[in-house]
């Protein structure tokens, strides 16, 4: 039996690299997965969604293997796998999806009906998402392989571009989905809340879609500086001037055509009330309604939860937010929520990467680290490092 190591959640603020079970072609409920494959992981990324769990803002159990952003090489195929072969280099959407239910057939792989007994939607290494083992490890099992996996057409070319292609598992499709659902198109003015990896991926996506002006808002100076380095305008949410006032200084009007929430429920105050340690979970949504033009749209790929045990008020602990929804209604705004159906976008975005139409590794400032340094990566990311940490568990990357 081969060995395996993975990043394990050990309680609020703590992760460890531990020896874990080598994957088997079995699902979390013990059913045989003849439709699955075993991957030797080439790259696996630390995500802001992982940080929600590590910060104690979910009901994640101690001992859970983390990681849902997985790129790897197939080393074993189940007997029912027909089109994926041993040796293939593949990208794994973070959504676990069967490919056979009504939602999957309608391209809503984010809410597959068959991979999670508790509610629609599954993911690797994530709380309440079906119990699928995470991929911040050396090896992982992927079910429904023929449907889920995106094979790279040229293995050698793909290995040269892994720092970019590793972003196909989540953050690039997520940022792109936020922009598409917000209606970003040629000539759009766009406000993106958040300058973390998803926010920067959304900014790069907006540029790919032809936006005229992309404005990124955050309170982290290093992240704002990086956003400017890739051609974005920025607003500093810690300034006394409101976001609308800062947008007016850039555009001449205090509103944008489209807005994308890449922050989610762990948002903080703005202006005089800005405090990185204080949560104001609805503030981004309320700001979006204020600064988006009448008839516009808001994409919301940022994560919101049904339960937030780390919230500062009782309502937010149960997932209730104090939203100024009447303003959104009065302005005829459209809102689009939910996890990203990665398969809807990943093939097209792969082609954009392979043909040098987007440099996403540069946009999100990828830094490759070995598996042993994952705990330090989590700590640096939690402190606001302007980087996307990519774990290289086998030393495969340059």
């Amino acid at each position: 039996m081969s060995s395996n190591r993975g990043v394990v959640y050990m309680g609020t603020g703590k992760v460890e690299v531990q020896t874990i079970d080598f994957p088997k072609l079995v699902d979390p409920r013990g059913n045989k997965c003849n439709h699955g494959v075993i991957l030797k992981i080439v790259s696996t990324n630390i995500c802001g969604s992982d940080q929600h769990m590590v910060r104690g803002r979910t009901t994640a159990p101690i001992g859970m293997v983390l990681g849902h952003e997985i790129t790897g090489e197939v080393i074993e195929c189940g007997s029912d796998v027909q089109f994926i072969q041993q040796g293939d280099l593949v990208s794994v959407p973070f959504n676990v999806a069967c490919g056979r239910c009504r939602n999957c057939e309608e391209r809503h792989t984010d809410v597959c009906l068959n991979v999670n007994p508790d509610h629609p939607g599954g993911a690797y290494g994530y709380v309440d998402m079906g119990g699928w083992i995470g991929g911040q490890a050396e090896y992982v099992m992927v079910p429904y392989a023929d449907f889920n996996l995106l094979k790279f057409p040229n293995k050698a070319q793909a290995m040269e571009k892994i720092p970019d292609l590793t972003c196909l598992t989540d953050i690039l499709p997520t940022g792109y989905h936020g922009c598409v659902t917000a209606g970003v198109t040629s000539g759009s003015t766009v406000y993106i809340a958040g300058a973390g990896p998803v926010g920067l991926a959304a900014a790069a996506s907006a540029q790919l879609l032809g936006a005229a002006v992309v404005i990124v808002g955050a309170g982290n100076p290093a992240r704002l500086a990086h956003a400017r380095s890739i051609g974005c305008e920025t607003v500093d949410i810690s300034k006394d001037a409101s976001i609308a006032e800062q947008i007016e200084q850039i555009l001449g009007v205090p509103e944008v055509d489209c807005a994308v929430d890449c922050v989610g429920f762990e948002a903080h105050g703005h202006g005089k009330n800005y405090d990185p340690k204080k949560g104001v979970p609805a503030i981004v949504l309320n700001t979006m309604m204020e600064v988006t033009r009448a008839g516009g749209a808001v994409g919301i790929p940022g994560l919101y939860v049904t339960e937030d045990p780390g919230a500062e008020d009782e309502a937010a602990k149960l997932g209730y937010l104090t939203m100024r929804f009447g303003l959104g209604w009065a302005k005829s705004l459209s809102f689009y929520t939910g996890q990203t159906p990665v398969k809807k976008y990943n093939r097209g975005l792969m082609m954009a990467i392979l043909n040098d139409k987007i440099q996403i590794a540069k946009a999100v400032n990828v830094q490759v680290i070995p598996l042993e340094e994952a705990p330090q990566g989590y700590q640096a990311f939690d402190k606001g490092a302007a980087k996307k940490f990519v774990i290289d568990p086998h030393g495969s990357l340059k």
Side-chain angles (χ1 to χ4, degrees):
M1 177 64 68
S2 299
S3 62
N4 192 18
R5 294 179 302 153
V7 179
V8 180
Y9 172 61
M10 297 301 294
T12 301
K14 187 176 182 181
V15 298
E16 293 181 358
V17 178
Q18 297 182 0
T19 297
I20 61 175
D21 291 338
F22 193 83
K24 298 178 181 178
L25 294 173
V26 177
D27 73 14
R29 284 152 290 285
N31 302 310
K32 187 69 174 175
C33 283
N34 293 323
H35 47 71
V37 300
I38 306 297
L39 296 185
K40 178 182 179 181
I41 295 172
V42 172
S43 66
T44 176
N45 316 329
I46 298 174
C47 180
S49 298
D50 298 319
Q51 290 284 21
H52 296 312
M53 293 185 289
V54 175
R55 291 179 186 134
R57 300 298 294 269
T58 72
T59 56
I62 291 175
M64 186 171 67
V65 181
L66 301 172
H68 55 271
E69 301 189 8
I70 307 162
T71 304
E73 180 182 5
V74 177
I75 61 171
E76 180 182 344
C77 295
S79 58
D80 291 344
V81 177
Q82 299 182 56
F83 308 114
I84 295 293
Q85 298 179 350
Q86 186 173 339
D88 286 346
L89 187 63
V90 297
S91 179
V92 185
F94 78 85
N95 320 110
V96 183
C98 73
R100 301 161 184 172
C101 70
R102 173 181 178 175
N103 285 352
C104 284
E105 288 178 346
E106 295 177 355
R107 302 181 80 189
H108 289 294
T109 53
D110 51 315
V111 281
C112 174
L113 300 174
N114 290 328
V115 295
N116 186 347
D118 297 323
H119 55 77
Y124 305 90
Y126 210 86
V127 60
D128 296 330
M129 295 302 286
W132 301 93
I133 303 300
Q136 285 174 14
E138 294 174 316
Y139 301 91
V140 73
M141 194 279 288
V142 174
Y144 305 103
D146 283 327
F147 179 72
N148 282 308
L149 296 180
L150 174 65
K151 176 184 173 181
F152 298 132
N154 183 305
K155 193 172 182 179
Q157 179 194 28
M159 285 302 299
E160 291 290 330
K161 290 183 173 287
I162 288 297
D164 295 278
L165 294 171
T166 194
C167 298
L168 286 174
T169 59
D170 182 352
I171 62 167
L172 179 53
T174 293
Y176 191 83
H177 178 65
C179 289
V180 168
T181 55
V184 178
T185 188
S186 301
S188 296
T189 57
V190 187
Y191 175 65
I192 295 172
V198 172
L200 293 170
S205 298
Q207 292 169 340
L208 181 66
L209 289 163
V213 183
V214 179
I215 304 170
V216 176
N220 181 317
R223 290 181 171 181
L224 288 174
H226 186 71
R228 289 190 292 272
S229 77
I230 62 169
C232 299
E233 302 287 344
T234 59
V235 299
D236 186 342
I237 66 171
S238 69
K239 286 185 176 180
D240 289 345
S242 71
I243 291 174
E245 290 170 334
Q246 293 183 65
I247 288 174
E248 186 171 20
Q249 291 173 5
I250 296 168
L251 297 178
V253 292
E255 63 183 16
V256 291
D257 297 323
C258 321
V260 185
D261 175 2
C262 296
V263 177
F265 76 106
E266 281 199 81
H268 308 294
H270 292 170
K272 295 178 181 179
N273 297 318
Y274 178 72
D275 182 351
K277 297 181 180 179
K278 184 178 180 180
V280 188
I283 193 166
V284 173
L285 297 173
N286 287 326
T287 299
M288 296 290 188
M289 288 188 280
E290 178 187 355
V291 303
T292 303
R293 68 172 180 84
V298 179
I300 311 174
L303 177 66
Y304 289 86
V305 292
T306 55
E307 293 181 77
D308 177 10
E312 298 174 20
D313 65 78
E314 295 303 314
K317 287 181 180 180
L318 298 175
Y320 293 101
L321 303 180
T322 305
M323 286 181 62
R324 195 182 172 194
F325 192 73
L327 175 61
W329 189 93
K331 295 176 74 174
S332 294
L333 298 180
S334 299
F335 299 86
Y336 202 105
T337 68
Q339 295 184 39
T340 298
V342 171
K343 280 184 62 63
K344 188 174 182 177
Y345 307 106
N346 64 350
R347 186 173 297 277
L349 292 170
M350 174 188 72
M351 295 303 294
I353 289 170
L354 293 177
N355 290 282
D356 299 318
K357 300 302 181 186
I358 185 169
Q359 286 74 47
I360 188 62
K362 177 183 177 182
V364 302
N365 201 16
V366 161
Q367 178 172 332
V368 178
I369 60 174
L371 183 64
E372 292 77 9
E373 293 181 14
Q376 294 93 319
Y378 269 92
Q379 291 174 3
F381 192 25
D382 189 51
K383 292 177 181 178
K387 297 176 180 179
K388 174 67 173 178
F389 289 101
V390 172
I391 300 170
D392 176 9
H394 294 281
S396 305
L397 307 183
K398 294 181 180 179

